[in-house]
Amino acid sequence: MAQSSLNTGGWRIGVLIMSAAILMGILGVRLVYLQTVRHGHYINVAEAQRKRASELSPHRGIIYMSEGLDLFPVASNDKGWITYAVPRDMDDPHYVAREVAPALFAYRKRQDERTKAIIERTGQLRTVAATPTPTPIENPEPEKSEDEQIHDLIQQFEVKFDKRTDPYEPILRPHEILDEELRAYLEEKHLPGIVLEEQEIRIYPDGELAAHAIGYVGFEESGRVGRYGVEGFYDSILRGDLGWLSAEKDNAGNFIGVAEGEFRPAKDGADIVLTLDRVVQSFAEEVLKNGVEKYGAERGSIIVMDPEDGAILGMATYPTFDPNTYYAVNHPEVQTNPVVSDLFEPGSILKPVIMSAAIEEGLVEPNTTFTDSGPVKVAEYTIDTFDSKHHGVQTMTQVLEQSNNIGMVWLGQQMGAEMIYDYLRRFGLGERTAVELDGETQTNLPEPNNWNITTVATASFGQGVALTPLQALNAINAIANDGMLMQPRIVSRIREGLEEKVTEPAAVRQVVSKQTADKVSAMMVSVIENGVAGLARVPGYYMAGKTGTAQVSDETGKYSKDRKIISFVGFGPVENPRFSILIKLDNPAGLSFASGTAAPMFRDLSEKLLNYYQIPPSYDETGPKTKYQVPN
């Protein structure tokens, strides 16, 4: 019995010794593996544990707008506070969740109220064209009470925070910055694992002023990014270059001053000075807002330019948005800039361009006549005047004065498809203007061999040709600028460190002769002085202008009976044009025409600009009244 117990004990000891030997062998092999095959990996891990590396963020460049000789920042940087959670630092994550959730819910409720106020202030409660009607939801779930919503938020945070090794969990959405109430609450509570951190944020001191031209800075997975306008177009140079710091630290986390390290300083983004004038921009936005609301339009835009050098002095769209709270929109379309992104058929504001081509080619002069004896038949279509009135023998000047479509069809038939196409291209239509704004749309002008007699007829009075508002005004600028087409620009200069790059005016091409431009300019003055655009007249000044009312295609490709675009283009004073203006109203209410809507808006804005630039009158308004005559 004793011998049996001894044998059993010896067997057990042998097994233990053998197991230990096997275990030691495995550990030995593992050690060799770690010291040889995985040696490099663990050296890197050890290095990472005693080195600290971080990106050094540059400051985003500032965008300025001028006011006389002074510059004002319209996009700059400030400090804001964010918060996030470090669950591994929480002893009681459920307690923290219950403390944070109600405060965050109250914060978002305040944000919702601010968002509603911004949407109302920026005119977004108006109907925006092409905004889809939401599809009704069958059997929608009942809206939860505030207590239920807070309870849901607590549960979400409990799941997020109950990760004991997690070094980071977001609490805010990327665009959210703490307001004073939430920041004060979190500072007072001093909750374990809840971190408050100051960071640089993008601000727009003038709010929605020039929002569509400036754009905003939003967020993507890669970080902050410029969107729309100048912020989007010049994002790469505004954001600057990241720096780099890599240095050893001791056990306490302090930098070792004598240790080896790497340092590359961040390069701040470039500053940009716009051609926009702060006063002109304010005038344009005031006139536009009043006009859109007065005439019941869905949307409107105004551009003000210097026709001599192509500088954009003002660019407004209403409804608008506040780039400080770019997320406060009722539809994404609100943020797009229709001045460069929306195509429209310009209608009668294109007639001076067609008339310029015909005069340049020697086909007509301002006093050349044709006979308007009634509607004309072109293929299966009947074309009439806008008011169905006919005046017999008419000069080309009178054709523009009365915006006579029949006269323009007659003129287009004298020209033909090749000539019309050639001059439209010369005037810059069918190609991008290359202005420094994100989102400019490429326009395509059909080749003349694809035109038919209907295309020739409709193109002569501005239908069937699609272009952007900026292209339309720039084409008219060529007439105001002695026949020379200029490159539109919205950036005056760019500053990178100590270097400054000035954007010089750039001529594109001579479109028509100075003589032709002078004749058509005078004909456009007569449109205001003697024609349908009398409400655009500014006493004491000879201003050139042209009304436009165009049909809009519906989803079937046919012209809608219910929708229209009203527009007006003009410049002045005609003897030395200091500014040009385009006004566009999308679908104003009722039977509106440009002569009674956009024309008086042009007058109001022109009066403000003439006074601002202190331009002396063209003539004495108190003197004898004489009919304006167009020279031949």
Side-chain angles (χ1 to χ4, degrees):
M1 190 71 166
Q3 181 67 37
S4 176
S5 299
L6 182 61
N7 290 339
T8 302
W11 177 79
R12 289 177 177 172
I13 292 172
V15 171
L16 289 173
I17 292 173
M18 186 178 295
S19 299
I22 293 172
L23 179 60
M24 291 298 294
I26 293 173
L27 291 175
V29 172
R30 178 66 176 170
L31 183 60
V32 171
Y33 171 77
L34 294 178
Q35 290 180 336
T36 56
V37 180
R38 297 285 286 168
H39 174 76
H41 167 74
Y42 285 101
I43 285 293
N44 291 336
V45 171
E47 285 294 302
Q49 287 177 343
R50 66 186 186 87
K51 282 190 174 183
R52 181 175 182 175
S54 63
E55 291 178 342
L56 303 178
S57 297
H59 298 297
R60 190 174 180 88
I62 299 173
I63 301 176
Y64 294 93
M65 196 183 293
S66 66
E67 184 175 324
L69 299 176
D70 297 324
L71 296 180
F72 291 85
V74 290
S76 58
N77 307 307
D78 200 356
K79 295 296 183 180
W81 289 86
I82 63 168
T83 185
Y84 58 89
V86 182
R88 69 184 180 189
D89 293 340
M90 296 180 185
D91 296 327
D92 187 349
H94 301 286
Y95 165 75
V96 176
R98 290 192 298 270
E99 292 294 315
V100 170
L104 184 63
F105 179 83
Y107 160 77
R108 286 185 174 152
K109 190 175 180 181
R110 293 193 296 272
Q111 289 293 86
D112 287 344
E113 292 301 318
R114 296 183 188 112
T115 296
K116 290 176 183 177
I118 291 167
I119 287 175
E120 183 175 2
R121 187 187 75 232
T122 54
Q124 294 182 47
L125 295 182
R126 308 188 64 80
T127 302
V128 178
T131 299
T133 302
T135 303
I137 301 174
E138 294 184 6
N139 302 319
E141 294 184 4
E143 187 175 344
K144 292 184 177 181
S145 67
E146 290 191 4
D147 288 341
E148 290 173 322
Q149 294 177 59
I150 292 172
H151 177 72
D152 289 347
L153 197 55
I154 290 173
Q155 288 186 320
Q156 293 172 23
F157 283 152
E158 284 179 339
V159 173
K160 275 190 171 188
F161 297 167
D162 198 15
K163 301 174 182 178
R164 299 309 174 92
T165 60
D166 191 352
Y168 173 80
E169 279 293 335
I171 294 177
L172 302 176
R173 297 166 184 142
H175 64 266
E176 289 180 329
I177 301 296
L178 299 183
D179 62 8
E180 288 299 322
E181 292 93 329
L182 182 54
R183 179 187 165 192
Y185 173 84
L186 294 176
E187 285 180 338
E188 180 185 351
K189 284 290 184 180
H190 198 63
L191 298 167
I194 299 298
V195 178
L196 291 174
E197 185 176 288
E198 192 177 45
Q199 67 174 17
E200 187 170 272
I201 61 173
R202 195 65 161 172
I203 63 166
Y204 302 87
D206 285 337
E208 58 262 32
L209 187 75
H212 290 90
I214 297 169
Y216 63 88
V217 174
F219 289 87
E220 291 182 354
E221 290 184 4
S222 58
R224 298 193 304 170
V225 61
R227 291 176 176 162
Y228 299 110
V230 175
E231 290 274 31
F233 189 90
Y234 280 114
D235 182 57
S236 60
I237 70 167
L238 281 166
R239 69 169 61 184
D241 297 325
L242 289 170
W244 180 261
L245 171 65
S246 177
E248 293 190 23
K249 62 177 182 177
D250 58 23
N251 292 335
N254 300 315
F255 286 116
I256 303 173
V258 296
E260 182 181 356
E262 298 178 15
F263 173 66
R264 185 183 72 190
K267 181 183 177 183
D268 290 341
D271 295 337
I272 293 179
V273 181
L274 303 180
T275 60
L276 295 178
D277 184 291
R278 195 159 170 253
V279 174
V280 175
Q281 182 68 31
S282 298
F283 288 159
E285 294 193 9
E286 178 187 0
V287 170
L288 180 62
K289 179 178 184 293
N290 292 340
V292 167
E293 293 180 349
K294 180 177 181 179
Y295 301 118
E298 293 174 352
R299 197 180 197 187
S301 295
I302 286 181
I303 320 170
V304 183
M305 295 182 70
D306 182 338
E308 186 176 356
D309 69 5
I312 298 173
L313 306 174
M315 178 180 285
T317 290
Y318 187 82
T320 184
F321 68 99
D322 187 340
N324 290 296
T325 51
Y326 61 87
Y327 47 85
V329 294
N330 65 349
H331 192 280
E333 184 183 350
V334 172
Q335 294 177 342
T336 62
N337 186 350
V339 167
V340 295
S341 66
D342 283 10
L343 297 177
F344 77 113
E345 296 184 24
S348 296
I349 63 172
L350 195 65
K351 289 176 181 176
V353 170
I354 303 299
M355 188 66 70
S356 297
I359 292 176
E360 181 73 8
E361 290 295 319
L363 297 179
V364 295
E365 289 291 337
N367 63 350
T368 300
T369 61
F370 97 106
T371 302
D372 174 10
S373 55
V376 294
K377 188 84 170 176
V378 178
E380 69 269 30
Y381 301 99
T382 300
I383 297 174
D384 200 356
T385 58
F386 77 93
D387 58 1
S388 298
K389 295 180 180 179
H390 305 278
H391 305 279
V393 176
Q394 296 281 286
T395 66
M396 293 298 101
T397 297
Q398 290 172 320
V399 166
L400 287 189
E401 286 177 357
Q402 300 303 318
S403 200
N404 191 316
N405 289 342
I406 296 173
M408 293 303 300
V409 170
W410 175 85
L411 187 62
Q413 290 169 342
Q414 314 307 306
M415 298 172 67
E418 290 279 356
M419 186 182 296
I420 295 176
Y421 174 86
D422 179 49
Y423 273 92
L424 291 178
R425 292 303 302 264
R426 289 193 199 183
F427 275 96
L429 308 182
E431 61 187 22
R432 287 192 180 97
T433 67
V435 69
E436 311 99 317
L437 291 170
D438 193 36
E440 183 177 19
T441 297
Q442 172 66 50
T443 58
N444 294 310
L445 200 61
E447 295 289 335
N449 56 2
N450 294 321
W451 292 28
N452 53 35
I453 58 173
T454 303
T455 310
V456 171
T458 58
S460 68
F461 56 84
Q463 293 281 177
V465 178
L467 63 160
T468 67
L470 183 60
Q471 287 176 320
L473 182 57
N474 205 46
I476 296 299
N477 283 345
I479 298 172
N481 190 39
D482 297 335
M484 177 65 73
L485 183 71
M486 300 298 292
Q487 166 68 46
R489 60 195 179 94
I490 199 168
V491 171
S492 172
R493 53 192 186 274
I494 300 174
R495 300 171 176 171
E496 292 191 79
L498 299 177
E499 297 182 2
E500 182 172 270
K501 178 184 177 182
V502 177
T503 306
E504 299 289 350
V508 178
R509 68 183 71 90
Q510 187 76 34
V511 180
V512 295
S513 67
K514 182 180 185 305
Q515 292 77 10
T516 295
D518 287 345
K519 290 175 183 178
V520 177
S521 294
M523 295 168 78
M524 293 175 68
V525 172
S526 193
V527 171
I528 293 177
E529 294 293 319
N530 307 314
V532 296
L535 291 179
R537 184 173 180 270
V538 180
Y541 295 88
Y542 287 129
M543 308 294 291
K546 184 68 191 78
T547 55
T549 303
Q551 293 175 289
V552 178
S553 299
D554 59 22
E555 60 276 1
T556 67
K558 297 180 179 180
Y559 288 120
S560 170
K561 296 180 180 179
D562 304 321
R563 304 186 65 80
K564 57 188 174 297
I565 290 177
I566 299 296
S567 57
F568 192 94
V569 290
F571 55 86
V574 71
E575 60 272 16
N576 181 27
R578 289 286 304 278
F579 57 84
S580 61
I581 297 171
L582 178 141
I583 297 170
K584 175 175 172 279
L585 298 176
D586 295 354
N587 204 35
L591 299 174
S592 304
F593 292 102
S595 56
T597 55
M601 290 171 65
F602 172 83
R603 178 198 62 220
D604 294 345
L605 183 53
S606 294
E607 287 177 340
K608 292 176 183 295
L609 295 175
L610 291 164
N611 183 60
Y612 175 58
Y613 289 125
Q614 298 183 349
I615 299 173
S618 305
Y619 61 93
D620 182 5
E621 174 66 14
T622 63
K625 301 294 188 295
T626 58
K627 184 174 181 179
Y628 182 82
Q629 299 293 324
V630 177
N632 288 300

